[in-house]
Amino acid sequence: MLSATGSAPGRLPFLVWVLAAGTFLMGTTEFVIAGLLPEIAADLNVSLSHAGLLITAFAVGMIAGGPTMAMATLRLPQRHTLIGALAVFALGHAIAALSTSFTVVLTARVVTALATGAFWAVGFVIATTTAGPARATRAVGVMMGGLTLANVIGVPIGSFVGHYTGWRGPFWALAVLAALAAIFVGRFIPRTGQRAEVSVRAEVRALGQGRLWLALGAAVLIMGGVLATYTYITPLLTDRAGIPAGAVPLVLIAFGIGALGGTAIGGRLGDRRPMVTTITAAAATSLILLALIPASSSPVAAVVLIFGMALTGFTVNPVVTSLAVRFAGDAPTLTSALTTSGYNTGIAAGSALAGTALDSSLGLTGPALVGAVFAALTLLPLIALALSGTGHRTRIVAQRATAAPVREDASTPAHH
């Protein structure tokens, strides 16, 4: 028997998995550049640090472009927005792969970041409303799992292929896969009319809630804590733990598996007990990072703690994303985009402070200390949310333009 969402009871609609595939592609393109920088720098005749601007440009495009594109496409049917975003994403990668100009490639990265921001902002809204109130956080977890899986599978494969085909090979692959994803999205999202009922004023007005900013603050801090440590994990493993450089990718895969598991746990538990889940996970992340400082001299302990850091840290993400979308009520698109911007802001801030700590007297353990502080600070907005009685006023509202015929007044108490 099928539910109102077009799937068997207890199962997520297939559309959610299609959207997760899209986030997999976009997560791969965000991080695969790091493994291809030497090839790109040599091919485009720029320095390694100059080539690194391709990573910075994408992050900046995500931070600023997500909310901008969410507003620019607000009145369009969501189906058109997602197909258009994937088409621009594919075209941007094709142009970059054909170009011999660093400026053109840099511009293409910014454009694809804008498309990524639009896809994620609308995709999260469609995922939650299509899945229905009882499975909203799980749906967000699956979508974010696509991003996490990109780190486990997409980035290593892209880097590996790039070493043999040149950096243009992965770009062509991403272009083709994005075009195929656009076809699938067009197939599984029903045609709808213009989203005339959606108001820019309502989207902006939704930002006036204090609890919304608490959820966004938690997103910034937890991601800053985990990525502060992850950014400089290689020197910690090789120079302090004594792990051979050739074995570092295996540790990074373990991190990715932990992140994937944490995302799944958050998606499963977050609908029933969001605050208990997030507070426990954030506290555990801080303690694990503190333990990593003295224990990182042991290779076994370092690997176990890095896995644990990913497992607990990424448990928070789907829950706070789902809460932010719930708090926005009838106007979730801009909020969804700001959540994505929040994660990228946390990555930028955490990495920058970790780099400063690395150059200080703290040395190789500095990034872990910065991460522990960020994770501990995450408890402040989470505890404030718990004390605000979030569960009694939280609801998920389905927009009339989405695929799922979820009732607009469906209440979803978020138990503590």
Side-chain angles (χ1 to χ4, degrees):
M1 180 177 179
L2 294 181
S3 67
T5 59
S7 61
R11 295 182 181 179
L12 291 175
F14 183 67
L15 174 58
V16 175
W17 299 96
V18 174
L19 294 172
T23 62
F24 171 82
L25 296 178
M26 294 175 174
T28 298
T29 199
E30 181 170 9
F31 300 111
V32 75
I33 289 290
L36 302 174
L37 277 184
E39 289 85 354
I40 294 175
D43 187 50
L44 300 180
N45 197 28
V46 296
S47 67
L48 197 61
S49 60
H50 203 58
L53 291 175
L54 296 174
I55 299 175
T56 305
F58 196 95
V60 172
M62 285 291 294
I63 292 171
T68 301
M69 293 305 297
M71 289 294 94
T73 61
L74 188 61
R75 303 287 294 224
L76 295 176
Q78 293 174 324
R79 179 176 180 270
H80 293 177
T81 299
L82 291 183
I83 293 174
L86 287 166
V88 171
F89 183 90
L91 183 61
H93 282 79
I95 291 174
L98 289 169
S99 178
T100 57
S101 166
F102 178 79
T103 302
V104 172
V105 176
L106 185 69
T107 303
R109 287 285 289 175
V110 174
V111 171
T112 53
L114 295 177
T116 299
F119 182 91
W120 282 357
V122 175
F124 279 132
V125 174
I126 292 179
T128 55
T129 54
T130 301
R135 295 174 293 175
T137 303
R138 184 181 166 200
V140 171
V142 168
M143 272 198 69
M144 298 190 75
L147 176 62
T148 308
L149 196 63
N151 285 310
V152 181
I153 298 176
V155 172
I157 291 178
S159 299
F160 180 79
V161 171
H163 290 313
Y164 289 93
T165 66
W167 65 273
R168 301 175 193 275
F171 271 60
W172 279 118
L174 287 166
V176 172
L177 291 173
L180 292 175
I183 295 173
F184 270 89
V185 167
R187 166 67 178 81
F188 289 101
I189 297 184
R191 297 178 183 274
T192 56
Q194 185 182 19
R195 297 164 66 192
E197 80 284 357
V198 181
S199 166
V200 173
R201 181 178 298 177
E203 291 282 343
V204 175
R205 188 166 57 243
L207 301 182
Q209 301 185 68
R211 57 187 180 157
L212 170 60
W213 291 101
L214 290 174
L216 292 175
V220 172
L221 289 168
I222 193 63
M223 188 57 68
V226 174
L227 268 295
T229 308
Y230 180 76
T231 299
Y232 297 100
I233 204 69
T234 298
L236 181 74
L237 293 173
T238 56
D239 299 345
R240 182 169 171 81
I243 294 176
V248 169
L250 298 178
V251 181
L252 300 184
I253 291 175
F255 172 90
I257 294 173
L260 190 62
T263 302
I265 291 171
R268 286 283 183 176
L269 301 180
D271 283 315
R272 297 191 298 271
R273 304 183 66 83
M275 304 321 304
V276 170
T277 300
T278 52
I279 290 173
T280 301
T285 303
S286 183
L287 293 175
I288 288 172
L289 287 170
L290 283 175
L292 184 62
I293 296 173
S296 56
S297 58
S298 164
V300 174
V303 172
V304 171
L305 290 172
I306 288 168
F307 171 83
M309 169 188 72
L311 184 71
T312 57
F314 277 81
T315 296
V316 179
N317 296 348
V319 186
V320 294
T321 298
S322 181
L323 285 175
V325 173
R326 294 182 192 187
F327 295 151
D330 295 316
T333 306
L334 179 57
T335 297
S336 178
L338 286 174
T339 304
T340 302
S341 295
Y343 287 130
N344 281 275
T345 300
I347 292 171
S351 299
L353 289 175
T356 301
L358 185 69
D359 293 333
S360 71
S361 59
L362 296 171
L364 294 171
T365 60
L369 179 60
V370 171
V373 172
F374 266 70
L377 290 175
T378 307
L379 293 171
L380 298 179
L382 291 177
I383 292 173
L385 276 175
L387 295 176
S388 71
T390 291
H392 302 294
R393 299 188 299 274
T394 299
R395 64 193 182 109
I396 296 178
V397 181
Q399 298 181 27
R400 284 187 283 274
T402 59
V406 183
R407 288 187 309 148
E408 293 201 27
D409 292 326
S411 298
T412 67
H415 302 293
H416 293 209

